[in-house]
Amino acid sequence: MILTRLGYAARGVLYLLIGIVALQIAFGSGGEADKSGAIRIVAEQPFGVVVLWIMTVGLAALTVWQARETLSGRGRTRDRIESALRALFYALLVVSLLGLLLRGKPAASTDSQSQDATKALLDLPGGQVLVGIAALGLVALGAHWIHEGWTKKFMKDMTGGGETVRRLGQAGYIARGVIAIAAGVLVGQAAITYDAGKAVGIDGALKSLADTPAGPWLLAAVAMGLVLFAMYCVAEARWHRA
């Protein structure tokens, strides 16, 4: 399906921009390394609005396709849950894009979204436990992505591409796993300290990597992984089962 393949290419654009901004941060520049920051970068370019509309159509097609995979009844329960999560993720991106295109409303950063969600959970009875469960979920997701990358299981839905595409996907999945684990650790700190301000999204998780003993070099390595994942997304647009 052409529109679905367009959606994979659009996802690649977002990850490419996130990776580039993260590389700039690693080497001393500022910026917001998440999907909202990437959307703003596209919007600021010549014909940026046209590009954003094309991306919106493609991501909407991805949302519908993943929702159909969830409801089709085919495949394992785990695969259907993953499809549902992807559908939700793409739907949120579409909502952010439409908010900018139709109302001029900038997309909220993933950090602020994470903090708002954490605060809402903390205000509930047993909120710290709920946030702790969310943190464990992020860590588990990160571990799953690293496992997918290491074992190359992500290639099961690809109809071609060869070893080069496998290597790109490996680097990308492992990089995304590291980011999810970093975010999970920080959300866990928010649960322990009862402080929603400690929760982060992609941007905060990436910047936290620069504070590790490996310093900015770890952030740079993960950023390069995101750039390579962007290239894998382009390969998905060509060879992913649709």
Side-chain angles (χ1 to χ4, degrees):
M1 183 177 178
I2 294 176
L3 292 180
T4 301
R5 298 190 187 285
L6 180 62
Y8 282 117
R11 186 173 71 149
V13 171
L14 292 176
Y15 274 106
L16 174 63
L17 293 173
I18 293 170
I20 290 172
V21 173
L23 279 172
Q24 293 174 341
I25 293 171
F27 294 109
S29 299
E32 196 170 89
D34 65 2
K35 293 176 179 61
S36 61
I39 290 170
R40 283 195 288 274
I41 290 173
V42 174
E44 291 167 358
Q45 305 309 308
F47 305 106
V49 172
V50 175
V51 174
L52 288 178
W53 273 114
I54 294 172
M55 292 171 64
T56 301
V57 171
L59 290 167
L62 269 183
T63 303
V64 172
W65 181 62
Q66 291 295 338
R68 187 184 64 189
E69 290 286 296
T70 303
L71 301 173
S72 67
R74 298 192 301 269
R76 297 173 299 175
T77 300
R78 187 180 72 178
D79 293 334
R80 294 171 66 187
I81 291 173
E82 288 180 1
S83 293
L85 291 174
R86 291 191 193 102
L88 176 60
F89 171 74
Y90 296 139
L92 292 174
L93 271 179
V94 170
V95 169
S96 294
L97 284 164
L98 287 175
L100 176 62
L101 290 167
L102 298 178
R103 301 193 302 274
K105 180 181 177 182
S109 71
T110 53
D111 283 357
S112 65
Q113 290 174 343
S114 179
Q115 289 164 6
D116 289 344
T118 300
K119 184 178 185 304
L121 287 176
L122 287 174
D123 288 340
L124 296 173
Q128 282 182 289
V129 174
L130 294 174
V131 174
I133 291 172
L136 290 175
L138 282 170
V139 171
L141 176 63
H144 171 69
W145 278 340
I146 291 173
H147 180 260
E148 286 275 299
W150 188 259
T151 60
K152 305 177 186 177
K153 287 187 176 181
F154 57 88
M155 289 296 292
K156 67 181 184 297
D157 291 323
M158 298 288 278
T159 60
E163 186 62 23
T164 299
V165 172
R166 280 192 285 271
R167 295 298 183 189
L168 293 173
Q170 272 192 298
Y173 269 86
I174 291 172
R176 292 169 74 210
V178 171
I179 294 168
I181 290 173
V185 169
L186 292 170
V187 171
Q189 290 180 359
I192 293 170
T193 61
Y194 206 83
D195 180 4
K198 293 186 180 297
V200 299
I202 297 173
D203 181 59
L206 279 166
K207 289 174 179 175
S208 73
L209 298 177
D211 296 329
T212 64
W217 295 108
L218 176 58
L219 174 56
V222 172
M224 276 304 305
L226 293 180
V227 172
L228 295 176
F229 186 73
M231 298 169 66
Y232 169 76
C233 290
V234 174
E236 279 188 306
R238 171 64 178 84
W239 286 296
H240 197 281
R241 173 183 61 85

